[in-house]
Amino acid sequence: MQEQAQAQAQDDLIIRAQAWLAEDPDPETAAELAALIEAGDTAELADRFSGTLQFGTAGLRGEIGAGPMRMNRGVVIRAAAGLAAYLKAQGHDGGLVVVGYDARYKSADFARDTAAVMTGAGLRAALLPRPLPTPVLAYAIRHLGAVAGVEVTASHNPPRDNGYKVYLGDGSQIVSPADTEIAAQIAAVGKLADVPRPEAGWQELGDEVLEAYLARTDAVLTPGSPRGVRTVYTAMHGVGKDVVMAAFARHGFPEPVLVAEQAEPDPAFPTVAFPNPEEPGAMDLAFAKAAEVRPDVVIANDPDADRCAVAVPTVDGWRMLRGDEVGALLAAHLVHKGARGVFAESIVSSSLLGRIAEAAGVGYEETLTGFKWIARVEGLRYGYEEALGYCVDPEGVRDKDGVTAALLVAELASVLKEQGRTLTDLLDDLAMAHGLHATDQLSVRVSDLSIIADAMAALRAQPPVSLAGLRVVSAEDLSKGTESLPPTDGLRYYLDGEYKARVIARPSGTEPKLKCYLEVVVPVAEASDLAAARVRGQEVLDAIKKDLSVAMGI
């Protein structure tokens, strides 16, 4: 009986795969799926047909391939049709949808399919002229008065991934309930052949939107501020180079020295294991170029240029600043420039921002992870997230923007250089004023997502009572929500003692990772105490990581 059931399940799987194949508009993925069916690879087919890709922290994202659990033209056409139906149901029939894309595999195809579906549904569509940074698309939505925007990108994911990021007319990424309502419309899409996809009818934009975006970057900098910083820049094989170089030239900064091997778009990302400046080895070529030309700072974007990484010289070479350090530096710079409004960050970012905001008398808010939440903070003036994301001009781009962040870093470094100081000196000042906020991360990449679910279940079933010898005095299950936060899959612990230690564990919304964010605050009385405070902070963080790994069973 069991064998009969298994045989029936396999037959059903093959039938579903054949039905998908019959509709597949892409010869490449059709050939791939046909080969799997021919080979009878039911294990691989079962993985690809185990469900459908769902909206996460940044929309749809997954590996390119055939089937509803992969990124492909069939999935994109259905997503576009569902989005179009949602927009029409919201009263936006005839409204404009702007579509942008990066230089990943099939990005241009997915973007054109989206424009065609929108046009066929009775909406107006405008396609950006070529692969451009994600913040240019986010800017274009509000600049053009669009009702929605789509960016085809997988940000810093591995080469075989792609994604589909959806924005609404306010220029912010979708949040609940829009995500579930769009998902319901996608599920209601029938046969692909019934989705109208005209061959033309959408607008092909020129460079006018990019020029308007570059003109908007004027708002980031103080007129007449120093512009003398010397920079090495890497685009990490992405789309940032031309826009960053144009922005630096526009504002009179010295021309950045490029990491030539990573300067041009390449969807294979041949020089890095993962195209993310945070990953080990990703910045090696940039540091080699910096050793050669001896700049003041190294700046990197991720492939779609919505993130910005910064490295500084030390006696031992170059050191990548943590996203929390750059977040604090930019906050301090904005305070010095007289910025008012609300400073916001995600719950996984350093509490130092709250202390800077309090001392400056500006508003402060914490949100859930993701700029879709940060961008919605009322009165937002500055927002950041520890994963190298910074929103420094929310009136222009209501999302993280690695181009304007790079400009602001360059201005700050130039101001300090004129004073004979460095970014590291300013970090020391902040530690003296507010305590040394040391942060770290325990990040586990998995091939089997059940490992993440099991680890979270283990923490919920048996919460740790102490970490690094520090008693857990508060344990929050964020899936139940809090007074200020909607529910999310995460756990937050506060530890006893002078270090004000905090731990947050959550599954990544964009990658197959379990991520734990750690922070300790080490008091600093004198400048001479800084070195010892850094050592002590890292010791406590390392001990927390060790104990947390045991508690999660990984």
Side-chain angles (χ1 to χ4, degrees), residues 485-500:
L485 298 170
T488 187
D489 187 7
L491 299 164
R492 179 164 59 181
Y493 307 106
Y494 290 98
L495 312 184
D496 197 14
E498 65 174 337
Y499 298 127
K500 301 182 178 69

Side-chain angles (χ1 to χ4, degrees), residues 36 47 76 136 148 202 211 262 382 391 451 477 491 506 541:
L36 291 173
D47 182 51
V76 165
V136 176
W202 56 88
E211 291 303 320
Q262 298 174 335
Y382 168 64
C391 176
I451 295 173
D477 187 342
L491 299 164
R506 61 177 285 272
L541 289 170

Side-chain angles (χ1 to χ4, degrees), residues 331-355:
H333 185 43
L334 287 169
V335 165
H336 182 73
K337 285 157 64 84
R340 308 306 296 174
V342 178
F343 285 24
E345 63 180 341
S346 64
I347 58 173
V348 299
S349 304
S350 173
S351 60
L352 177 55
L353 182 68
R355 291 176 170 84

